[in-house]
Amino acid sequence: MSRLPRSASATAPASRPPAGLGGLDPSWSRLVDVPYGLGSHRASRTWHVLDNGDALAALGVEPVGTILCVHGNPTWSYLWRRLVARTVEAAAAGGPAWRVVAVDQLDMGFSERTGSPQTLARRVADLGDLTDALGVTGPVVTLGHDWGGVVSSGWAVDHPGQLAGLMLLNTAIHQPEGENIPAPLRLTLARGVLGRATVGTTGFLDVTLGLAHPPLSAEVKAGFRAPYRQADRRGGIGGFVADIPVDDEHVSSPELDRIAEGLRQLTVPALMLWGPRDPIFSDRYLDDLVDRLPHADVHRFEGAGHLVAEDVDYAGAVLTWLGDRLPDGATGTGAGDADTGGTPGPEEARVASPQDRPLWSHLDSLADSPATALVEMAPAGAEGPRSVSWSLLARRVREIALGLRKHGVRPGDRVSLLVQPGADLTAVLYACVRIGAVVVVADAGLGVRGLTRAVRGAWPDHVIGQVPGLTAATALGWPGRKISTTTLSPVAAKALGVEASLPEIAALGRRAHDALADLPEAPSSDAEAAILFTSGSTGPAKGVVYRHGQLTALRDALAEQYGVGPGTGLVAGFAPFALLGPALGATSVTPDMDVTKPRTLTARAVAAATAAVDATVVFLSPAALANVVATADSLDEADRRALAGVETFLSAGAPVSETLLAAAGDLMPNATPHTPYGMTEGLLLTDVTLEGVRSATADREAAVAAGAPDAGGVCVGLPGATTTVRIAPLDEAGRASSAFVDDAGVTGEIVVSAPHVEDHYDRLWLTHRASRLGSTAETRWHRTGDVGHLDAQGRLWVEGRLPHVITTPTGVLTPVASEQAVEALAGIARAAVVGVGPAGTQQVVVVAEAVPPARRPGLASAALAASVRSAVADASGRPVAAVLVVPQLPTDVRHNSKIDRTGLAGWATSVLSGGRMRRP
């Protein structure tokens, strides 16, 4: 404390907060005298706490347990006001009654100003003295934020017999060796700055309150400032910062290490709620906590920051989690007990089991084969196509796998792959999964911001990349030890922080092989294998976690549905299927295209790829297919002969129209066109052929002619052999039911179950939980977020996305049927139907790309608008409030076809209410 001003050592008694602080009920406040010391040295300190115990007693309910809340610096128990209120409301409504004790740490908030330094060990011990004085015996669930996370964790480690659970908001429990503490804290600790920033002025407090997203209201800021208005009340703020263990010599460093290691012994249920936009406690601290508490439920709130308790509804998340994991308060399980609390879902109740046919089984069985495994049509640095044999690929995978082990990659390590599809990516991916590492794959089409969010969210241990990816990783501070795919100059390697190159890794592997080193035991079927990021077309990209067993189930489903296997030539114009080629035993070829821009694929490029491997199966994304059809006139006779050899054609990832599918069929006259339905969370769930689409359309038209209602949509066919599809009906507010049906003609959220559906969303516990609502011990359901219906023949029709359902005064409207009707008009290329206005009274607005394209956004001509209104009225019976035309509709990058209806709705709302007519 010597670096703090004299006012930092001022003393003052505890007091209650002033009346009128927003959201704070004065009846929750109490002062508690807490004895400490022994014999003649025995004395007491007075704490201020928020305690809802009296409110629960007034309701006549008995608490099921206690939530012990500990704030950080420079906040106080006011941080927990919403949780105190929500627990009382929940108890009054008949829910579990949780007592909340939210403390003001000594020298903070309205607790006593002791005038003495408070080390971390002293704070942990003081908290234990307080709970003793309050008679708290358990079960207790701790909840801490900032340095309150460390203090509450210390209490948890010291009270295993009372501990039932542990919850943390943005905090840090360990400073990585060799890493500096966060820059803002280094600045605050600088000589001449500490006292002035934390005690002499409100600078530290002001900066912290400025970290909320969105900004705090004046009322809430006043609440947080209330205990710290004078310098002699802010000594605890400076003392807290001074007590940060900046190195091993710091007085509090041993206690921090003790708590950090103690957490590894806790097996009680744990929850971490995190704001990624925190300049202090970044995702690296979350990753450390996950390493110490691997069973914890984790949710990262994209867009939230350091004050996550102010940015999001953390109280709702806490109560939801308690209801799942500790429904009756549960007794403490403490350290060393295997029970993690709650009722695990079917995906959690797994037993490790070996794999019969792992993903790399064909690499093993064909390890001596000179036959071609894969072909790159446009490899970097080469003039023509490059072929890789099965024997070379198998050897390369083994060498890289052994080399990665020597380099320090261990089972469970996350490895981010910043590599374009091709031989390098294939070899690295199979090497990683062979040694039990978890590959992290995010689409370059997410853009720099999207990729940064994805990589930081997954927090990989290693990064393997080409120079552009490594340059971005270095410039943007992405985590992970770096490996380059090519050998770099010493200067470039140092600038990019590259530790090794892939050739060097392979050489390491060759030396290990020569020394008779062997690969580790194969990962079990329940081990995590991959984190694949969604396209970001419906919000921030989400990391989708697949285990080995789910990926092998996907391989088997694809092989069974389409007969793909050894001897099959596969053209993959969609990266995931190129990577599955070796798993299927197929000879795969990547056509000449920019995978981040599907519309760069041409008909001639597809024909060349087909000819290179005598392909019988072709897979293209809808956007790529559209450009292939558009460039078909450039095909010569040899190209057409090659395409005539295709037997199966697939296009999926977004709805594919019958017209586009038929055009593709014309290019590949001997192929059966298919359009499977699936998503990153579950590829290949249903399938339909071109003839199937035509048959379904004829059945639909006949039913409508007979008087049946027409829900419209895109037919995606029948479920696969191992897939079950159900519908969660929509209510009048557009919400999906908790009950699932398979009745024909019922519109609702599409719900699926299959062995190859993803395991969970990475560090998005609430999102994962919502996607699993309705699951049972017997069946693991996934709510897709798509809406649609089943017809009388059991075929699935997709009608749009759940967030895009329009709630009009006359009921819910799904967008696809109306969009199809508009797109059938002359003068319209594509259309989006969106809702504008309050839920329940939304008006229908159509935003369209015209033919020829509009030069700038604006209202459609009177004639076009009249045609659009008539088409929508015929399709849905709804009036259209406005028809707008734009040069181009906003779509996702991966598919170039998923229209951002949510963004368009916001844009339409703005321009129709007088905002500037800008491009959406």
Side-chain angles (χ1 to χ4, degrees), residues 333-493:
T333 57
D337 193 313
D339 179 19
T340 58
T343 303
E347 67 273 24
E348 298 168 8
R350 56 175 62 89
V351 178
S353 57
Q355 301 187 65
D356 293 331
R357 291 179 57 246
L359 284 174
W360 56 89
S361 58
H362 285 297
L363 285 170
D364 289 344
S365 64
L366 297 171
D368 297 322
S369 173
T372 300
L374 62 88
V375 176
E376 290 180 280
M377 296 304 294
E383 294 183 0
R386 177 173 65 161
S387 296
V388 178
S389 68
W390 283 103
S391 59
L392 176 57
L393 180 60
R395 185 171 74 248
R396 186 74 167 169
V397 167
R398 181 181 179 83
E399 289 172 352
I400 293 174
L402 286 169
L404 289 174
R405 286 282 290 179
K406 286 289 185 182
H407 186 68
V409 179
R410 294 292 177 261
D413 280 3
R414 295 184 169 192
V415 182
S416 177
L417 304 182
L418 304 178
V419 185
Q420 292 290 324
D424 282 341
L425 178 58
T426 302
V428 168
L429 184 144
Y430 282 90
C432 287
V433 296
R434 174 60 187 86
I435 62 175
V438 182
V439 296
V440 179
V441 181
D443 200 321
L446 293 175
V448 172
R449 289 183 61 187
L451 271 174
T452 298
R453 282 196 300 262
V455 174
R456 285 188 170 276
W459 203 263
D461 303 284
H462 310 269
V463 176
I464 301 176
Q466 294 164 324
V467 170
L470 295 175
T471 302
T474 302
L476 299 169
W478 296 351
R481 299 174 61 194
K482 297 184 182 69
I483 299 171
S484 60
T485 56
T486 56
T487 302
L488 305 179
S489 70
V491 173

Side-chain angles (χ1 to χ4, degrees), residues 590-674:
T590 305
D592 183 3
M593 65 179 294
D594 182 344
V595 294
T596 68
K597 299 175 181 177
R599 291 177 186 263
T600 59
L601 182 61
T602 65
R604 294 211 69 181
V606 173
T610 302
V613 295
D614 293 326
T616 56
V617 179
V618 173
F619 188 103
L620 305 176
S621 72
L625 176 60
N627 199 58
V628 168
V629 170
T631 56
D633 288 345
S634 64
L635 294 172
D636 60 24
E637 200 57 39
D639 294 331
R640 293 188 182 278
R641 280 197 304 273
L643 292 174
V646 177
E647 299 171 2
T648 302
F649 165 72
L650 303 94
S651 185
V656 182
S657 69
E658 178 185 339
T659 302
L660 184 56
L661 209 57
D666 292 340
L667 287 179
M668 294 168 265
N670 297 313
T672 301
H674 294 255

Side-chain angles (χ1 to χ4, degrees), residues 111-170:
S111 284
E112 182 177 336
R113 296 303 189 263
T114 68
S116 302
Q118 298 288 332
T119 63
L120 176 58
R122 182 68 263 161
R123 289 190 183 279
V124 173
D126 285 344
L127 184 60
D129 291 340
L130 171 66
T131 55
D132 289 345
L134 287 170
V136 174
T137 57
V140 174
V141 180
T142 59
L143 173 58
H145 172 249
D146 190 86
W147 283 100
V150 182
V151 175
S152 63
S153 295
W155 189 97
V157 168
D158 292 343
H159 297 78
Q162 296 171 246
L163 187 69
L166 178 143
M167 301 184 289
L168 295 169
L169 311 187
N170 290 47

Side-chain angles (χ1 to χ4, degrees), residues 314 427 570 635 697 797:
Y314 86 97
L570 170 66
L635 294 172
T697 302
W797 295 72

